[in-house]
Amino acid sequence: MMNEHDGEFEQLIAFIRQGTEFTLLSHISPDGDTLGSALAMYGLLTRLGKKCEVVCSNPVPKIYSFLPNADKVVLPEDAVGYEFVISCDCADIPRFGRAVRLFDAAKDTASVDHHVTDPGFAHFNLIDADASATAEIVHELFIKLDMPIDEPIMKCLYTGITTDTGNLSYSNTTPNALRIIADFVEQGLDISELNRLIYRTIPYNKTRLQGFVASRMQLECGGEVGIGVLTRAQMLEFDATNEDCEGIVDCIRDVDCVKIAAFIREGADGSFKVSLRSKDIGDVCRIAEKHGGGGHARAAGYTAHEPLSTVIADFISQAEEELMRCRGQLDGKEN
């Protein structure tokens, strides 16, 4: 696997061997991959005799509290801030949030990531855009170091891979990802229980919120563009948290006629977080990059600071343009 990245693996391994104390950084609004990757890396480093901490600017979502050592993830203000830093699944520096000071103050830095938009901001960068998830890359690191993968590590890596591939259903699912999961099953990992914890344990408030947004869904471009909106006032009305909003964009994308979906949520500061998804056509990362965001072809996002009406209008226009581009109706020119 990933033979073209062997040199980068060697650099990362040398980086790990030279340090004794490490801070592992997860990105803001943490998902299963950034947490699964960081916690698997935590397990790896501690077995190698390293002192280690995992830092994230947001608390671990309740849905991922089952992950081994999830209780050891600390907020930036509670972090020690060791001299060697490794970022896990962070596509750019702003994704660190308040933890950016730990990255900036580090003696040396490394990044492990799979986002195609990652510019390689660390001193050592192991970026494989062909990997289904950063957890897939971390798995390969275990193999190259000849480190055993026990059940706690399997849980972390399984969570990272499955959540970033839509439970092994998205187009980014690689043969290697399937082989990794198959190997875990052969070793006795209870994936049915993990599947229940990740996908089949939904809080009541989240269910109500999904229904509310879905019932007010807006369809544009002949039904091929779907939009869901949630204002701050509506969130407060439902007593909802940011965690309750995770996955709502997938409900919009899953409508049969929708090709490109957006969930637009107002933040406490008046900005709007725009989560994007696409199905068989449409590179939503192209849309996100126009607004300073990023991600993948089928899943991306950005933050907008314009009025809601402008955010919606801009998205509709750019989604329609992306659909036209995919169908060759822009005279072969990419904007």
Side-chain angles (χ1 to χ4, degrees):
M1 174 196 170
M2 305 185 218
N3 291 331
E4 68 273 23
H5 295 285
D6 280 349
E8 296 167 33
F9 273 103
E10 290 175 4
Q11 287 184 329
L12 180 62
I13 290 170
F15 176 85
I16 289 171
R17 284 176 172 157
Q18 71 172 317
T20 58
E21 298 177 331
F22 291 84
T23 293
L24 303 174
L25 297 181
S26 288
H27 63 64
I28 57 175
S29 302
D31 59 14
D33 193 21
T34 193
L35 291 172
S37 299
L39 290 170
M41 188 75 78
Y42 176 88
L44 174 67
L45 293 174
T46 52
R47 287 183 197 174
L48 290 172
K50 314 292 185 178
K51 188 176 289 187
C52 191
E53 66 179 352
V54 181
V55 183
C56 184
S57 286
N58 300 110
V60 173
K62 185 177 179 181
I63 188 176
Y64 298 120
S65 61
F66 71 89
L67 287 171
N69 292 313
D71 59 329
K72 292 185 173 64
V73 179
V74 300
L75 296 173
E77 48 269 29
D78 299 321
V80 176
Y82 294 123
E83 60 180 3
F84 288 88
V85 167
I86 302 176
S87 70
C88 301
D89 195 48
C90 299
D92 53 43
I93 289 177
R95 294 290 281 163
F96 295 143
R98 302 191 315 280
V100 68
R101 66 172 181 83
L102 302 173
F103 183 85
D104 290 340
K107 175 182 177 181
D108 210 350
T109 61
S111 171
V112 182
D113 191 26
H114 73 125
H115 291 91
V116 68
T117 55
D118 192 319
F121 53 82
H123 185 193
F124 296 102
N125 297 281
L126 173 50
I127 305 168
D128 184 0
D130 293 325
S132 66
T134 298
E136 187 179 340
I137 305 172
V138 175
H139 176 272
E140 182 67 8
L141 184 61
F142 270 83
I143 300 302
K144 290 190 179 298
L145 283 168
D146 196 27
M147 294 290 290
I149 300 176
D150 59 13
E151 183 177 350
I153 298 299
M154 282 191 278
K155 287 181 178 180
C156 293
L157 296 177
Y158 173 88
T159 299
I161 291 172
T162 56
T163 53
D164 251 29
T165 60
N167 208 4
L168 303 175
S169 68
Y170 292 167
S171 60
N172 68 319
T173 306
T174 63
N176 188 63
L178 296 171
R179 283 190 287 265
I180 291 170
I181 302 305
D183 181 58
F184 289 173
V185 173
E186 286 182 341
Q187 293 184 60
L189 184 67
D190 188 352
I191 64 170
S192 63
E193 173 64 7
L194 292 174
N195 186 275
R196 183 188 67 79
L197 290 170
I198 298 169
Y199 298 106
R200 302 289 180 265
T201 307
I202 304 174
Y204 176 62
N205 262 8
K206 182 171 182 175
T207 301
R208 292 179 66 233
L209 200 65
Q210 287 179 335
F212 175 80
V213 176
S215 69
R216 290 159 174 77
M217 188 187 311
Q218 178 180 342
L219 296 180
E220 300 289 341
C221 304
E224 293 191 326
V225 174
I227 307 166
V229 176
L230 189 66
T231 66
R232 188 67 182 169
Q234 290 165 340
M235 275 193 71
L236 294 173
E237 181 181 343
F238 278 88
D239 193 26
T241 65
N242 292 339
E243 186 177 341
D244 291 327
C245 297
E246 295 300 318
I248 291 180
V249 66
D250 299 314
C251 298
I252 302 168
R253 177 207 55 206
D254 291 346
V255 173
D256 56 358
C257 59
V258 171
K259 302 293 185 184
I260 296 179
F263 173 50
I264 303 171
R265 171 170 59 85
E266 185 178 12
D269 62 353
S271 65
F272 292 93
K273 180 181 178 182
V274 184
S275 299
L276 305 175
R277 296 290 186 274
S278 65
K279 283 193 286 209
D280 52 333
I281 65 171
D283 184 345
V284 292
C285 188
R286 287 172 54 89
I287 298 174
E289 286 182 312
K290 293 178 180 179
H291 300 272
H296 306 283
R298 297 289 178 257
Y302 62 92
T303 300
H305 299 276
E306 297 79 15
L308 178 59
S309 59
T310 302
V311 176
I312 294 173
D314 285 349
F315 164 69
I316 294 171
S317 173
Q318 290 160 10
E320 182 176 29
E321 180 181 295
E322 178 60 22
L323 290 172
M324 291 175 63
R325 185 189 70 83
C326 292
R327 290 168 172 149
Q329 296 178 9
L330 289 179
D331 299 323
K333 297 179 181 178
E334 294 194 1
N335 297 328

